[in-house]
Amino acid sequence: QVQVVESGGGLVQPGGSLRLSCGASGSIFSVVTMGWYRQAPGKQRELVAAFTSGRGPDYSDSVKGRVTLSRDNGKNTVLLQMNSLKPEDTAVYYCNADVMLRESGPTFRYWGQGTQVTVSS
């Protein structure tokens, strides 16, 4: 019923930039939180940036100063602008949306399929 669709991954040279987009659609009453996480082989999934409250986004220390998360709540969409990319940023990036499906209902967590980001010469 809920679909989370990501786009924008690919191969980029160190120091380059990528822009990832994510949209949540379906029978969504409201989006509670939304953001991006990443997972490299053999490592746990970690936060990149996410809107977890009514204020501005939260960023991980590893990407601080290099990424910007923006949102369009009317479209249930988030955009992750990544600059000055490093090889350490190589990972599968997953979009997350925590949504309510009905008024006064519980919150459910949904994930996109993931998009590969590779930073290499």
Side-chain angles (χ1 to χ4, degrees), residues 3-117:
Q3 187 177 20
V4 179
V5 179
E6 306 141 322
S7 64
L11 174 65
V12 64
Q13 292 185 331
S17 299
L18 283 175
R19 185 175 64 185
L20 306 183
S21 180
C22 174
S25 62
S27 301
I28 300 173
F29 177 77
S30 66
V31 175
V32 181
T33 66
M34 197 168 183
W36 286 92
Y37 297 73
R38 67 186 182 186
Q39 186 169 24
K43 300 182 65 177
Q44 288 188 309
R45 189 170 299 184
E46 64 176 356
L47 169 74
V48 179
F51 291 104
T52 58
S53 68
R55 59 183 182 88
D58 297 320
Y59 297 101
S60 70
D61 291 338
S62 62
V63 301
K64 181 179 61 178
R66 300 188 295 116
V67 308
T68 301
L69 185 70
S70 59
R71 62 184 166 187
D72 183 347
N73 288 128
K75 297 175 60 178
N76 294 328
T77 298
V78 293
L79 184 70
L80 185 70
Q81 178 68 46
M82 302 190 295
N83 302 317
S84 302
L85 286 165
K86 307 174 181 179
E88 306 92 272
D89 296 317
T90 296
V92 178
Y93 284 67
Y94 296 92
C95 181
N96 161 256
D98 294 341
V99 307
M100 295 176 62
L101 303 182
R102 65 181 190 274
E103 184 178 3
S104 301
T107 299
F108 296 92
R109 172 160 290 183
Y110 293 90
W111 294 93
Q113 81 286 349
T115 184
Q116 177 71 45
V117 171

